Amino acid sequence: MALQFEEQQFQEAWQELDEPRLEGGWEFFTETTGVKIYRLYQKQSGLYEYKVFGGLAGCTPELCADVYMDLDYRKEWDNYVKALYEKDYDGQKVIYWEVRYPFPMSNRDYIYVRDRQDLDINGRKIWVVLAKSISCSQCPEQSGVIRVNEYTQSLVLESDGDKGTKVYMYYFDNPGGMIPSWLINWAAKSGVPSFLTDMQKACRDYSKYCKKKQG
């Protein structure tokens, strides 16, 4: 089975923590609750790529990585998840994810692969998760749900030197359909900080969830 991500992609992702690469048209977009967001316009799609720099107080990076990877738990704390599960197709783990969109818009669904690496960089512990959409013939499109074919995300986590986590995230998502660009921009502006806030709370509640699951 072909590797989905190259070693270089993990290296490039974590290096953004030290030296954010913002040349080549990246512009400052917004800052809210300690989270800075930059964006880059994509002529081809008319949409933006985003880079997010921020922190999660009171959560260790390893805990954040575990929470982020736990799909079952995500269904508990992320209200936008309609369906989320991992399946094995031809020896490859593929994730199906359906996202609730507000009426009258159609829900979106994703088929993607991801990989996590826990790196040791000269004694620094850094957690990197990469994800990208793929096409999968065994996952046909559903009526009334729009398939997102362009989705890429990187998440990098490192201790902030205290009890919290430094976070870098890159993402591009083309939701398709007839969504006005102002709405997509609004979602990026408000959605990312609120996602990080939700994730922070999810980290705090994770041990309780794990105990309950073990019965």
Side-chain angles (χ1 to χ4, degrees), residues 27-75:
E27 61 180 24
F28 177 71
F29 178 43
T30 187
E31 181 171 7
T32 174
T33 58
V35 177
K36 282 186 179 173
I37 304 179
Y38 295 83
R39 67 182 186 179
L40 177 68
Y41 184 66
Q42 256 202 13
K43 273 188 189 155
Q44 199 179 346
S45 63
L47 299 171
Y48 288 92
E49 300 171 53
Y50 294 94
K51 287 185 177 183
V52 181
F53 301 88
L56 289 169
C59 315
T60 65
E62 187 171 15
L63 174 62
C64 290
D66 289 345
V67 166
Y68 188 75
M69 294 296 285
D70 192 327
L71 300 182
D72 284 337
Y73 185 44
R74 177 81 176 257
K75 289 183 272 194

Side-chain angles (χ1 to χ4, degrees), residues 5 8 39 46-47 53 55 74 100 106 161 163 168 172 180:
F5 302 99
Q8 187 185 353
R39 67 182 186 179
L47 299 171
F53 301 88
R74 177 81 176 257
R100 287 190 178 96
S106 302
K163 292 174 185 166
Y168 160 69
F172 175 73

Side-chain angles (χ1 to χ4, degrees), residues 80-162:
Y80 292 102
V81 172
K82 172 84 187 293
L84 183 59
Y85 53 84
E86 196 168 52
K87 270 197 156 181
D88 207 39
Y89 288 118
D90 301 329
Q92 172 174 262
K93 288 197 182 313
V94 174
I95 295 167
Y96 175 83
W97 177 31
E98 183 181 343
V99 179
R100 287 190 178 96
Y101 269 59
F103 180 82
M105 291 185 283
S106 302
N107 285 358
R108 290 336 191 237
D109 70 2
Y110 299 72
I111 307 292
Y112 69 96
V113 290
R114 66 175 181 177
D115 194 12
R116 165 180 163 175
Q117 281 196 7
D118 302 355
L119 305 175
D120 187 319
I121 311 292
N122 302 321
R124 290 167 65 186
K125 296 214 172 331
I126 301 175
W127 287 258
V128 182
V129 183
L130 303 181
K132 67 176 179 184
S133 53
I134 60 162
S135 58
C136 179
S137 56
Q138 296 102 319
C139 306
E141 294 186 29
Q142 300 178 59
S143 168
V145 179
I146 294 175
R147 174 66 46 89
V148 176
N149 293 313
E150 294 177 78
Y151 164 69
T152 316
Q153 188 169 24
S154 313
L155 179 71
V156 182
L157 306 160
E158 183 182 26
S159 170
D160 63 2
D162 195 9

